[in-house]
Amino acid sequence: NAGVTQTPKFQVLKTGQSMTLQCAQDMNHEYMSWYRQDPGMGLRLIHYSVGAGITDQGEVPNGYNVSRSTTEDFPLRLLSAAPSQTSVYFCASSYNSREQPQHFGDGTRLSIL
Amino acid sequence: KNEVEQSPQNLTAQEGEFITINCSYSVGISALHWLQQHPGGGIVSLFMLSSGKKKHGRLIATINIQEKHSSLHITASHPRDSAVYICAARGGATNKLIFGTGTLLAVQP
């Protein structure tokens, strides 16, 4: 099993650009989530999904969109990148919300100039 | 005051030492998680606790629900244990996770 796969691992963007961070899992997990990790702060939930077609906002959703058209994929879209979105982003998945967090991706280090 | 606090923030130990990392929380929880983040950035789930104690190899996690406190112990520490250890409290009603800021552990040979 590949587990949770995130791409890209590194990305540099200019302010105002848009991009999509990809996340895929092959464990048939229903629950998927996106976190951002910033220095001196704990992981913070951006968006989450309890199953295909269902998404909801987390603690810090502004500036980000998600969709869940399949069980496997949960992409995170930055609509118009801002320097405040410079961070390390982690995707995670688990069987359900009671089991989370179970598996994390390796992270995407994103810099916004 | 953060709802989940870890101590110490940084810890340096000599190989073989017994290590304790503490986590205190102020919210009602359904479970407490311990995670390990390697220097390369990957995060691994170590334990999920709702009561008592769990052991996996040289790692032991305990929780005291009444005192709202959990500890992660590492016996016979090794340089490969060097990582950031993160605790996360899962809210009882919402299943929402609140993460601590992590403890950076360096084990020197």
Side-chain angles (χ1 to χ4, degrees), chain B residues 11-19 21 58 74-83 85 104-109:
Chain B
L11 181 57
T12 300
Q14 295 298 314
E15 184 173 356
E17 285 185 359
F18 180 84
I19 289 164
I21 298 170
R58 295 180 294 104
I74 304 175
T75 62
S77 59
H78 189 276
R80 65 175 174 265
D81 297 325
S82 298
Y85 292 85
L104 176 60
L105 171 65
V107 181
Q108 296 178 341

Side-chain angles (χ1 to χ4, degrees), chain A residues 31 35 37 40-45 59 88 90 97-107 109, chain B residues 31 33 35 37 40-45 48 84 86 88 90 94-102:
Chain A
Y31 188 91
Y35 294 93
Q37 186 178 40
M41 303 184 76
L43 288 157
R44 292 183 292 169
L45 181 65
E59 182 184 355
V88 182
F90 288 95
S97 63
R98 293 186 304 279
E99 303 294 328
Q100 51 104 9
Q102 280 186 302
H103 299 272
F104 285 85
D106 289 337
R109 188 172 294 273
Chain B
H33 297 261
L35 311 169
Q37 184 169 22
I43 300 174
V44 175
S45 181
M48 181 175 73
V84 175
I86 301 168
R90 180 145 51 84
T94 64
N95 281 326
K96 175 185 170 185
L97 284 171
I98 305 169
F99 291 84
T101 55

Side-chain angles (χ1 to χ4, degrees), chain A:
Chain A
N1 280 344
V4 179
T5 303
Q6 277 185 247
T7 55
K9 293 196 185 312
F10 303 94
Q11 185 71 48
V12 179
L13 292 177
K14 293 181 179 178
T15 298
Q17 288 184 313
S18 63
M19 81 159 294
T20 299
L21 307 185
Q22 301 291 345
C23 176
Q25 51 89 11
D26 60 357
M27 296 168 283
N28 204 31
H29 284 171
E30 291 295 327
Y31 188 91
M32 296 185 74
S33 50
W34 276 102
Y35 294 93
R36 59 179 290 172
Q37 186 178 40
D38 300 295
M41 303 184 76
L43 288 157
R44 292 183 292 169
L45 181 65
I46 304 171
H47 285 284
Y48 66 97
S49 170
V50 298
I54 306 168
T55 63
D56 208 344
Q57 296 180 349
E59 182 184 355
V60 287
N62 292 342
Y64 308 95
N65 270 0
V66 291
S67 59
R68 185 94 180 271
S69 56
T70 66
T71 298
E72 294 77 21
D73 299 299
F74 190 45
L76 178 72
R77 297 182 186 86
L78 278 71
L79 308 172
S80 177
S84 61
Q85 294 178 303
T86 294
S87 188
V88 182
Y89 292 84
F90 288 95
C91 179
S93 75
S94 58
Y95 290 118
N96 54 48
S97 63
R98 293 186 304 279
E99 303 294 328
Q100 51 104 9
Q102 280 186 302
H103 299 272
F104 285 85
D106 289 337
T108 296
R109 188 172 294 273
L110 182 62
S111 294
I112 315 295
L113 304 179

